[in-house]
Amino acid sequence: MLIYLQTIESPAEKSLFERIYLEYRGLLMHEAKSVLKDESLAEDAVHQTFLYVVENIYKFKAGVCHKTMSYLVKTVRSRSIDILRSQSRFVDIDFYDQFVGSKPDCTGMSPLAECMAELPERYRTILIMRYHYGFEFREIARQMAITEVNARRVLDRARGKLEEICRREGVL
């Protein structure tokens, strides 16, 4: 808690933060653990939440109340989900590598994987980024060096092409 208090200048704001921290740290930790299922990741989410409180202490003038509690719980849940999303992007590298580059070998895989292998690399990449990894369009656009509008168009074309291939192969 001392680290947080060092960044706050006003004694009144320090006191306010201290009350909020002591009142809600256990609840926020519980909420973060329920989402993340990992204590160290939960501590990260709670830490990020309290950093937000320190940076925006003026928004918490109501102090310890139901409104503050509700807001902090929503914030820590959001931070926890962000942590889960960021981790899920780095878990299945083998899956991604198998489908990016030249046409992958899909013998013995699902019919859908075989249909995806027939797609152009750009279409495979955008489908995997959006549906397997859950990237937002702005992230896809940044990764592929295109505009967000173009990312949406490419994804629509990729879905259409995949549907066409699946119908031709009898998957749909």
Side-chain angles (χ1 to χ4, degrees), residues 39-155:
E39 189 153 347
S40 65
L41 293 176
E43 288 172 358
D44 289 344
V46 172
H47 174 69
Q48 290 175 13
T49 301
F50 280 121
L51 284 177
Y52 175 80
V53 172
V54 166
E55 292 169 359
N56 299 284
I57 192 70
Y58 62 91
K59 293 181 180 180
F60 296 92
K61 294 295 181 193
V64 176
C65 66
H66 180 71
K67 185 178 176 182
T68 300
M69 178 187 71
S70 176
Y71 185 78
L72 290 176
V73 167
K74 288 176 188 173
T75 302
V76 81
R77 282 184 159 274
S78 177
R79 306 287 169 151
S80 299
I81 290 168
D82 289 345
I83 289 171
L84 280 178
R85 283 184 184 146
S86 70
Q87 286 206 325
S88 70
R89 291 187 181 130
F90 302 107
V91 173
D92 295 275
I93 298 299
D94 293 335
F95 179 84
Y96 183 75
D97 287 344
Q98 184 175 359
F99 283 96
V100 175
S102 59
K103 184 175 177 181
D105 177 29
C106 292
T107 53
M109 295 188 84
S110 73
L112 179 60
E114 291 177 11
C115 291
M116 279 192 68
E118 293 184 35
L119 289 172
E121 179 183 347
R122 182 176 183 167
Y123 287 176
R124 278 195 314 266
T125 301
I126 200 163
L127 285 168
I128 291 169
M129 289 175 79
R130 179 71 177 156
Y131 296 114
H132 182 71
Y133 290 107
F135 283 7
E136 298 294 326
F137 284 106
R138 69 178 179 281
E139 296 169 305
I140 293 170
R142 191 179 71 238
Q143 292 285 331
M144 295 182 77
I146 58 177
T147 66
E148 196 170 325
V149 172
N150 196 9
R152 290 177 190 277
R153 287 185 184 140
V154 172
L155 181 66

